[in-house]
Amino acid sequence: MGVRTAADLRGAPADDILAKFAVTLARTQRELQGHPCMSLEEAEPDRQQIMVSRSFADRVHDHEAVAQALATFAVRTCEKLRARALVASGLWIFAHSDSLSPELPQHAANRTMALPAATSDTMLVPGVVRRLLRGLLQEGIGYKKTGVALLDPARPEDVQQELFAPAVAGDQRLMDTLDQINRKFGRGVAVLGASGWKEKAEWGMRQHMRSANYTTSVHEIRLARC
């Protein structure tokens, strides 16, 4: 349509923009023309899930290496949750093979479960991930991407109370201390031994849109001991 700049979009035929690109871009065009159409969000709304997922630099056949990766992602997901002062009531994990190599055996594995109590505790979530992994992965499959998502995040005071069990599980003081250490000395200084933050881990990960060096190997990561 010859639209290459914001000025081009502002002057394009409004009916054509609406017909070809639907209401979202039509509202953007109206905004460029000086007509307020979108309300300003002064605070980002709470998300429906908090996820960390990565693609491996190479296909990973070792199930223990996949488990280490998922444990690492679980730790990071909990950190994200705590940064928002939230707890989660559910957990979802997945591991996918290399869909860009259709000649290879394929497998898309995933499991979801409700947590016994809402939590953001790094000491608890990786253990649940390990249990969900039992019997999930298939021998002979090279996994290329995995991820962990914490579901139904909510503020602790909004979690429905149980009659005979606490609504929120975990050691908040310990997690606060862990976060303070990692903020002061750098992420990964204090971590769980079950995660992949260790020397000679047999997996690497590709992190898109982070820097010019898109592939990071865990061989380059060193665990600083406190």
Side-chain angles (χ1 to χ4, degrees):
M1 293 182 61
V3 175
R4 300 181 182 276
T5 67
D8 292 339
L9 177 58
R10 181 184 59 198
D15 291 342
D16 290 349
I17 293 295
L18 181 61
K20 292 179 180 293
F21 302 102
V23 68
T24 300
L25 193 60
R27 287 176 177 170
T28 302
Q29 183 190 44
R30 292 278 292 169
E31 289 274 347
L32 291 171
Q33 293 170 347
H35 306 286
C37 299
M38 304 175 186
S39 59
L40 176 65
E41 289 185 355
E42 295 185 0
E44 181 184 2
D46 290 337
R47 302 181 185 181
Q48 298 301 308
Q49 66 179 25
I50 305 292
M51 175 185 287
V52 174
S53 65
R54 296 289 185 272
S55 293
F56 298 142
D58 299 298
R59 291 184 294 274
V60 178
H61 292 79
D62 183 355
H63 291 185
E64 180 58 29
V66 175
Q68 289 177 5
L70 285 169
T72 300
F73 301 159
V75 169
R76 180 65 184 127
T77 308
C78 288
E79 291 173 351
K80 286 174 170 279
L81 202 65
R82 292 196 299 272
R84 293 170 170 268
L86 302 174
V87 293
S89 299
L91 178 67
W92 174 52
I93 66 170
F94 72 86
H96 294 168
S97 55
D98 190 355
S99 60
L100 298 180
S101 300
E103 72 279 5
L104 299 175
Q106 301 291 322
H107 184 221
N110 68 87
R111 277 182 181 162
T112 306
M113 72 167 291
L115 298 172
T119 189
S120 62
D121 195 312
T122 299
M123 304 293 290
L124 301 178
V125 174
V128 180
V129 170
R130 284 274 180 174
R131 290 196 294 273
L132 285 177
L133 269 176
R134 292 172 186 168
L136 181 64
L137 305 180
Q138 292 183 1
E139 294 294 337
I141 299 292
Y143 291 94
K144 197 67 168 61
K145 184 175 183 178
T146 63
V148 174
L150 288 169
L151 310 176
D152 300 324
R155 304 198 178 279
E157 61 271 19
D158 295 333
V159 176
Q160 184 174 353
Q161 298 293 313
E162 298 286 340
L163 184 59
F164 298 110
V168 177
D171 189 332
Q172 187 59 47
R173 292 180 62 188
L174 177 60
M175 292 300 102
D176 289 343
T177 301
L178 186 68
D179 291 339
Q180 289 172 12
I181 292 172
N182 286 324
R183 280 196 299 269
K184 184 173 182 179
F185 298 104
R187 185 189 303 166
V189 169
V191 296
L192 294 183
S195 72
W197 298 93
K198 66 180 186 178
E199 294 184 4
K200 299 182 180 179
E202 296 183 6
W203 58 278
M205 60 186 177
R206 179 176 294 116
Q207 294 181 288
H208 298 288
M209 304 305 291
R210 291 292 184 102
S211 67
N213 182 10
Y214 289 111
T215 302
T216 301
S217 171
V218 174
H219 293 273
E220 301 169 1
I221 299 173
R222 296 295 180 264
L223 175 62
R225 302 183 182 278
C226 299

